[in-house]
Structure formats: C-alpha cells, structure tokens
C-alpha cells in the first residue's frame, strides 16, 4: 500500500474527550511531541527543529512550529483518509471477486 496512514489527532483530545481546540503546547506529552516533529520533518523539511541534548533527544517546538504541525495534520488527514477509504473499497472488491470466482489468480515467472 502506497498511501500513508493519517496522523494521530491525539492533540485534540483532553481527558479522553475530543475538543475543537488543541491542547496548549505545555500540555503535550512526549510521544505527541515526537509525532508533531515527524509531521514537520515530513511536510516542511526546510524548517529546523531543535532537540534536547543527551541520550533522550526530545524535540523542542516553538508555538509557530506547533501550530504549523496542527494545520498540516488538519490539511493532510482528509486526503490520506480518502485515499485509505478508496484502497479499502478496491481491496474489498478484489477479495469478493476472487472469492466468487469472477477473476482468477495466477503467479507469473519472474522473467
């Protein structure tokens, strides 16, 4: 599968309840900071992210980087979700056609 999974929206959950506004940056858990840093690295490689020194190397995001990551998640997730939905539909159709004998499956030699 070529389509990547949507980014987690955990920053929009507070005490298990989904909110329309994201958590303040100082409430963000360490694993979410890693996800937000990955969003910035994958979608905005020109922006440098600082990391803490030492073996843990946790990202240190500014408020601007945080908001940029959140806006990127909101922009990219619907596209990725729609692609996953299309993939699931095609996969289900192929599985159904193979099961019903409408199409045959064969392995071809490597050459």
């Amino acid at each position: 599968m070529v389509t990547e999974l949507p980014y987690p929206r955990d920053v929009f959950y507070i005490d298990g309840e989904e909110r329309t506004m994201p958590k303040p940056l100082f409430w963000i858990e360490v694993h979410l900071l890693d996800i937000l840093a990955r969003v910035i690295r994958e979608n905005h490689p020109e922006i440098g992210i600082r990391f803490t020194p030492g073996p843990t190397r946790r990202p240190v995001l500014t408020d601007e980087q945080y908001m940029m990551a959140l806006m990127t998640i909101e922009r990219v997730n619907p596209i990725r979700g729609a692609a996953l939905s299309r993939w699931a539909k095609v996969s289900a159709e192929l599985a159904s056609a193979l099961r019903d004998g409408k199409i045959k499956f064969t392995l071809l030699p490597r050459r």
Side-chain angles (χ1 to χ4, degrees), residues 11 14 30 34 38 43 46 49 54 60-61 74 78 82 93 95:
V11 291
I14 299 175
V30 173
D34 292 334
R38 183 173 54 108
N43 297 282
E46 70 280 359
I49 298 176
V60 178
L61 298 179
E74 291 300 306
E93 288 292 323

Side-chain angles (χ1 to χ4, degrees), residues 67-106:
M67 292 309 295
M68 180 180 294
L70 294 180
M71 289 188 295
T72 302
I73 288 172
E74 291 300 306
R75 179 179 50 83
V76 170
N77 273 359
I79 297 168
R80 289 182 173 190
L84 284 175
S85 174
R86 289 190 306 271
W87 176 81
K89 185 176 180 180
V90 168
S91 177
E93 288 292 323
L94 280 173
S96 175
L98 283 167
R99 185 176 45 251
D100 296 341
K102 293 179 182 176
I103 60 176
K104 304 289 183 207
F105 178 79
T106 184

Side-chain angles (χ1 to χ4, degrees), residues 47-66:
I47 296 176
I49 298 176
R50 290 185 312 120
F51 288 87
T52 59
T56 57
R57 298 219 6 108
R58 295 291 176 207
V60 178
L61 298 179
T62 65
D63 288 334
E64 293 81 21
Q65 291 170 333
Y66 177 56

